[in-house]
Amino acid sequence: MDPATTIDPATGQPLPPDAIVRVLHITPKVHIYTLPPSSPSSSTYLASSWTSLPQNPIFTSRLRILETSLSPETTELKVDILLESTTSSSDNNGQPQLFAAAPYTTPAIVTPCSDSSRFFALRVSDPGTGKKATLGVGFEERSDAFDFNLALQECGKSLGFGGQQQPEREKKEKTEEKKDWSLKEGETITINLGGKFGRRSQGQGGEKKEEEEGGRGKSLNSFALPPPPGNGGGGFSLPPPPPSASEARRQKRLSAQQMGFDDGVNGEFA
């Protein structure tokens, strides 16, 4: 085998020369449990039923999520969940030994437990024989379990779980011709507003203006203050301002003349 050939960690088979493998998640240490015979094949799982068994956990391993792009031209993807030994093995060219692999082809491959957020039921399969089994996976830290679940959600979007596959959408976007809506030289756009924003006729405008003015006058009159009460109305009036000095002298002169006095020769009665 060519030393430059990339081996698929999930199957042990050579990958295409242009294949790209990415590690989406890794937890250095998880505990693997065997499920009791009464556990359902799907639906609800209880972690308490695993941890109570004396033989559990059966071993401790490293967990990885690998995303493999088989061909960049077709954007074909596959995702595998690997349970590997925590130490390197000299028999495997210095790589961790694979205990079990779970091809992530459907969300049902991983089922969260209903009584703990740190435990999951994982359906693994043997690539050689095709046999399947369900194992329990327990994380020591809730943060690692959260990151694992988040990575699976991102994988589901890439694989198109619950909708159109993301690779198909990307392929369609690349092959679909983009439409050019820009105006070419000499082209114009005509917009018909339907007469809704045109001028009104003078008659309609005049009538409307009169109605508006009449309404405005009526509304202003409704807020006008009443006139001040008259002399017989029981109100009060302000006294007139005092006369000026010249006006006082003129009135005094008129009073003296009315009494038969004149101003005198030198105006001494002024």
Side-chain angles (χ1 to χ4, degrees):
M1 183 181 296
D2 188 357
T5 303
T6 303
I7 303 299
D8 188 350
T11 61
Q13 301 297 321
L15 289 171
D18 53 354
I20 301 175
V21 180
R22 293 195 308 154
V23 179
L24 302 182
H25 174 79
I26 180 171
T27 300
K29 184 179 180 181
V30 295
H31 301 288
I32 307 302
Y33 299 83
T34 180
L35 274 60
S38 59
S39 295
S41 58
S42 60
S43 183
T44 305
Y45 290 92
L46 298 175
S48 57
S49 62
W50 312 342
T51 56
S52 60
L53 297 178
Q55 67 270 24
N56 277 331
I58 54 178
F59 63 90
T60 301
S61 71
R62 180 179 73 171
L63 184 145
R64 288 197 301 166
I65 300 178
L66 298 185
E67 180 189 75
T68 305
S69 175
L70 300 177
S71 176
E73 296 180 356
T74 60
T75 64
E76 183 181 358
L77 295 176
K78 80 182 191 75
V79 176
D80 296 284
I81 304 171
L82 308 180
L83 300 178
E84 304 168 318
S85 61
T86 56
T87 58
S88 302
S89 174
S90 58
D91 298 336
N92 196 27
N93 297 326
Q95 298 297 322
Q97 182 181 357
L98 178 65
F99 290 149
Y104 194 57
T105 56
T106 173
I109 296 297
V110 181
T111 304
C113 290
S114 59
D115 59 344
S116 177
S117 61
R118 296 188 296 110
F119 290 83
F120 299 84
L122 180 65
R123 190 194 308 169
V124 299
S125 61
D126 188 343
T129 62
K131 293 182 178 181
K132 298 180 180 180
T134 302
L135 299 176
V137 178
F139 291 83
E140 294 183 350
E141 301 293 338
R142 296 186 186 276
S143 58
D144 292 335
F146 176 81
D147 294 340
F148 171 71
N149 197 22
L150 185 62
L152 291 179
Q153 293 179 13
E154 295 299 326
C155 293
K157 295 179 182 179
S158 300
L159 297 173
F161 293 164
Q164 185 181 8
Q165 290 190 359
Q166 182 73 14
E168 293 294 332
R169 287 201 302 270
E170 294 177 354
K171 185 178 179 180
K172 185 177 180 180
E173 290 175 358
K174 291 180 181 179
T175 56
E176 187 181 44
E177 182 180 359
K178 294 183 179 180
K179 295 183 179 181
D180 185 9
W181 298 100
S182 60
L183 292 177
K184 303 299 186 295
E185 184 177 358
E187 292 183 347
T188 58
I189 295 179
T190 303
I191 301 176
N192 184 11
L193 299 178
K196 293 183 179 181
F197 301 97
R199 287 187 174 181
R200 295 181 180 270
S201 62
Q202 187 172 0
Q204 294 177 353
E207 294 176 358
K208 186 174 181 181
K209 185 175 181 181
E210 291 178 0
E211 292 178 358
E212 291 179 353
E213 290 179 353
R216 247 194 328 265
K218 185 182 297 183
S219 62
L220 291 176
N221 290 334
S222 63
F223 291 98
L225 296 176
N231 294 332
F236 66 92
S237 59
L238 297 175
S244 61
S246 59
E247 182 67 19
R249 287 195 300 270
R250 189 181 66 82
Q251 291 181 358
K252 183 178 180 181
R253 218 175 14 250
L254 290 176
S255 300
Q257 291 176 358
Q258 291 176 357
M259 295 175 63
F261 295 96
D262 56 7
D263 292 341
V265 178
N266 298 320
E268 59 271 15
F269 297 108

